[in-house]
Amino acid sequence: MKNRGMISKTSIGAIVATLLLHVSHAQSQETLTISASGGSYDACVKAAYLDGWEKETGIKVVVGGGAWDLGVWRAQQETGKTEWDVATSDPGQLRQLVRNGWVMPIDPELPNKNGGLVDFPGLVPKFDGKIYALPTEIFSTVVTYNSKAFKGDKPKTWADVFNAKKYPGKRLFSNVPVDFGVLEVALLADGVAPENLYPLDIDRALKKLDSIKSDILWYDFGTQQVALLQQGDAVIGAGWDGRVKALQRDGGTIEFSTEQAIVKPDLWILPKGGNSELGARFLAFIDNPERQAKFATCIGYAPALRKAYDLLPANQKFTVDPNNLKGVVVWNDEYWAKNARDVTARFNEWLTK
Amino acid sequence: MPAHRIKINPIVLAAAPGIALLLIFFAIPLANLTVRSLTDPEFGLGNYKAVLGSQTYLRVGWRTIWISFLAMSGCVLIGTPVAYAIAHSKRRALVVATLAVLGLSFLTSSLIRAFAWMILFGAQGPIVAILNAAGLDVHTLLATQVAVVVGMIHFLLPIYALTAFAGFRNMPFDLVVAAEGLGASRWYALRTVYFPLALPSIINAGSLVFVIALGFFITPALLGGPSEMMLGQLIAISISKFGDFGFAAAAGVLLMVITLFLLSAVQWVSKAGQRQ
């Protein structure tokens, strides 16, 4: 997910939102509750999707708590109090949700409508012939650095991130490997080809990380990602292109390289126990080239609908062109869904040593 | 004389709402948590075995206790003189001002305080600038034990000082005056007369902030690195990434049991000390 920030606030937000939801359900007619994703993402969702939806359908949208926390999902599903009618998700979490039976299948024809989706591997995973998510855009984890830190050559590859001689200073990584790909990054830096990346060679990745361990600054929350680079506590690391672009718009000096990007789609799903009928209507509403083009322009992530590309401003460029995936690393959700627990345990053992 | 009615001790009556509240918001969830730790995903001690069998959890568990101990020690060292001053000072303005500062900082959210420290300890912060001006080569103080412990003390100090103050206020300061009248120096009187009597208040306030420190999550997450990782962070990951309620519950119950054990040991030692 894009925003792992404020975990503690998530649960509080979820509880408050659930309470409010019950009040509002009791009082008024239909509303649509969607999950929050935080920051610029939510602002773009509102501008590209929600405003138009409210105008067209007259159904008010409530933005609830974040849906990235599996603990919140489990608490809601066990108590039968689903907060969201639609939620955002990522491919790894989707597999866990499907496995637990916490999401509803979506219209299998939806991804083929409106000109269909870009040709991106694993964009619409099938589970027993059913699909459970609508991908709307593709975002990247990229080599990110503070441009003020390096006078000469700018860093381009993951190997540069691990080259502390040429690019001295602290390296910034998240301490949660399942979301942020630090192990993938280490292996790519060590020369593993993208097609041979999975299954991850954990020993090799940790050995590579050992080579710069004292130079790494680890962060816990997505909000720290660009903040610590901008503040100068770290000079280089792994970041999300959308966050970097948002910071650049605010006058930050953070830049990123488009080489060796690790890409993942953003997904929209229908949580079990929500108003799936209304949720499905919303999915059909956002599966629309004009709206996705508007969203993509706002957030800077490449849209999933092929036709959306014809509607973009001429100067609009994305980190990754989904029609040209050469040198791009596709994050393997299947691998992570199977191994996240073990890999995280091994990683934490190494991290806290 | 009115007829005899069933006598209810008014203290029990006054305590009833509080007890009910504790029962609803603490006892029942705690029982629930314990049951979870033994039954989720299946009945047995599997979660406890998993926690105790994990080098990571043991390491981080001891680290949690150690960092909490450091934070508590800092509170005792800094907070005790403050509590003493506001309990016995004759200057009202000073007392009111100190209480106001403690109260106000107590009311500021822990998240905001941690973010403030993140900037203060960061590469562009004043502390790094001062250290560098003094000739030390420091780039950032984030991800250091100093940052985490200072951030924790900042949060815990008002709690410590106000709790200790409540105890100190009721202490007979006359005894110190009397000791001085008999020829003791102020320092000697404090050390031999005041301090032994104040010790239970110090221990109570110290135990309180120690227990609060054990559950810290935001402060070590924002100011610390892996070497300062606390149990709360690991528990949060196991819940938010894997929905492992049983495992997280077991880790929580174990931390609670160890805390209770440590606290009873402290209480026992302090009682034994007073009897001597």
Side-chain angles (χ1 to χ4, degrees), chain B residues 28 57 94 106 124 141 199 223-224 246 250 255:
Chain B
I28 294 172
Y57 270 77
L94 181 85
F106 182 62
Q124 289 173 5
L141 284 166
L199 197 58
L223 301 176
L255 182 64

Side-chain angles (χ1 to χ4, degrees), chain B residues 216-233:
Chain B
F216 263 49
F217 165 70
I218 293 282
T219 309
L222 287 175
L223 301 176
S227 320
E228 297 80 33
M229 199 181 248
M230 290 178 70
L231 215 47
Q233 291 164 269

Side-chain angles (χ1 to χ4, degrees), chain A residues 4 6-9 68-71 74-75 78 96 175-176 178-179 217-218 220-221 224 228 230-233 340-341 344 348-349 351-353, chain B residues 36 40 55-56 59-60 63 111 115 118-119 122-124 139-140 142-143 217-218 221-222 224 226 229 233-234 237 239-245:
Chain A
R4 212 165 50 83
M6 319 299 175
I7 288 174
S8 61
K9 275 190 166 175
W68 55 82
D69 188 323
L70 208 69
R74 187 168 169 193
E78 281 184 358
Q96 287 181 300
N175 62 12
V176 180
V178 56
D179 282 346
L217 187 64
W218 300 95
D220 279 57
F221 304 111
Q224 291 172 285
L228 289 171
Q230 185 60 54
Q231 209 181 283
D233 292 279
R341 213 176 284 249
T344 304
N348 282 341
E349 161 68 22
L351 182 72
T352 57
K353 220 186 299 200
Chain B
R36 274 268 188 186
D40 187 340
Q55 279 299 316
T56 311
R59 209 180 285 142
V60 172
R63 209 170 275 167
L111 192 69
F115 269 114
M118 216 175 105
I119 293 164
Q124 289 173 5
H139 179 65
T140 177
L142 290 179
F217 165 70
I218 293 282
L222 287 175
M229 199 181 248
Q233 291 164 269
L234 279 184
I237 290 174
I239 290 176
S240 69
K241 288 297 141 205
F242 308 115
D244 255 342
F245 286 6

Side-chain angles (χ1 to χ4, degrees), chain A residues 222-292:
Chain A
T223 45
Q224 291 172 285
Q225 194 187 83
V226 286
L228 289 171
L229 282 174
Q230 185 60 54
Q231 209 181 283
D233 292 279
V235 293
I236 192 167
W240 291 313
D241 53 343
R243 267 193 193 270
V244 179
K245 285 176 187 172
L247 192 80
Q248 285 171 346
R249 276 196 296 272
D250 293 342
T253 53
I254 308 298
E255 277 168 30
F256 67 92
S257 154
T258 54
E259 275 181 46
Q260 291 186 302
I262 304 171
V263 294
K264 230 190 217 190
D266 277 330
L267 309 172
W268 287 84
I269 57 175
L270 303 176
K272 192 175 168 188
N275 185 344
S276 300
E277 207 175 305
L278 192 60
R281 253 178 85 188
F282 182 75
L283 294 192
F285 181 83
I286 66 175
D287 188 53
N288 168 293
E290 283 85 20
R291 291 177 193 125
Q292 278 196 15

Side-chain angles (χ1 to χ4, degrees), chain B residues 117-172:
Chain B
W117 280 113
M118 216 175 105
I119 293 164
L120 289 174
F121 279 125
Q124 289 173 5
I127 300 170
V128 167
I130 290 168
L131 290 177
N132 283 327
L136 292 158
D137 184 26
V138 181
H139 179 65
T140 177
L141 284 166
L142 290 179
T144 61
Q145 203 171 51
V146 173
V148 173
V149 172
V150 169
M152 287 172 76
I153 291 174
H154 183 227
F155 182 83
L156 295 169
L157 193 62
I159 304 174
Y160 176 85
L162 292 173
T163 313
F165 157 70
F168 288 4
R169 206 175 41 165
N170 300 322
M171 300 248 312

